[in-house]
Amino acid sequence: HVQLVESGGGSVQAGGSLRLSCAASGYIFSRHCMGWFRQAPGKEREGVADIDMYGNTNYAGSVKGRFTISRDNAENTLYLQMDSLKPEDTGMYYCADLALGGYCSGDYWGIETLWYWGQGTQVTVS
């Protein structure tokens, strides 16, 4: 079965950086679109970035130019490098695997049932 385990969250001052990791297992990682999502207190979960099986990336406008999504298929690991962090980046960050396969689309971000989810890692920016 699909298992996703996030790590790397923490507390950081505005302007700082964090790198999130997601260890994946239970499926062929290299053939799947992967995404990062976040949920701030009192708000709905939102898409942050995704990366398809070829390495093509897509970002939410609010993080473009500050965050970088990447993947290491040999290590079955997904990353999110977050720079120039802002207080509004605070939230629980989730790694997700698209059940449909290797091609990503922003249209998929709002359909939670299309994704397998990790347990999340907290990011707090003050």
Side-chain angles (χ1 to χ4, degrees), residues 45-64:
R45 186 152 52 186
E46 62 177 2
V48 174
D50 65 28
I51 182 167
D52 70 15
M53 62 180 180
Y54 300 111
N56 299 308
T57 59
N58 185 36
Y59 296 92
S62 60
V63 306
K64 194 172 292 185

Side-chain angles (χ1 to χ4, degrees), residues 60-72:
S62 60
V63 306
K64 194 172 292 185
R66 300 189 297 122
F67 291 11
T68 303
I69 187 172
S70 61
R71 64 194 301 161
D72 184 336

Side-chain angles (χ1 to χ4, degrees), residues 53-123:
M53 62 180 180
Y54 300 111
N56 299 308
T57 59
N58 185 36
Y59 296 92
S62 60
V63 306
K64 194 172 292 185
R66 300 189 297 122
F67 291 11
T68 303
I69 187 172
S70 61
R71 64 194 301 161
D72 184 336
N73 290 334
E75 297 293 331
N76 288 353
T77 303
L78 180 72
Y79 299 101
L80 185 68
Q81 177 67 41
M82 304 186 295
D83 298 318
S84 303
L85 282 161
K86 304 175 181 180
E88 51 263 45
D89 294 318
T90 293
M92 187 70 77
Y93 281 70
Y94 298 90
C95 166
D97 159 52
L98 182 67
L100 297 181
Y103 296 96
C104 299
S105 170
D107 292 340
Y108 298 153
W109 286 11
I111 308 173
E112 296 209 349
T113 53
L114 293 181
W115 302 84
Y116 292 103
W117 299 94
Q119 83 290 348
T121 185
Q122 178 67 37
V123 171

Side-chain angles (χ1 to χ4, degrees), residues 17-67:
S17 297
L18 283 173
R19 189 192 197 202
L20 306 184
S21 299
C22 172
S25 61
Y27 67 105
I28 304 174
F29 175 79
S30 62
R31 297 183 184 176
H32 281 232
C33 166
M34 298 294 297
W36 285 101
F37 294 74
R38 67 186 181 188
Q39 187 169 21
K43 295 188 176 181
E44 292 187 353
R45 186 152 52 186
E46 62 177 2
V48 174
D50 65 28
I51 182 167
D52 70 15
M53 62 180 180
Y54 300 111
N56 299 308
T57 59
N58 185 36
Y59 296 92
S62 60
V63 306
K64 194 172 292 185
R66 300 189 297 122
F67 291 11

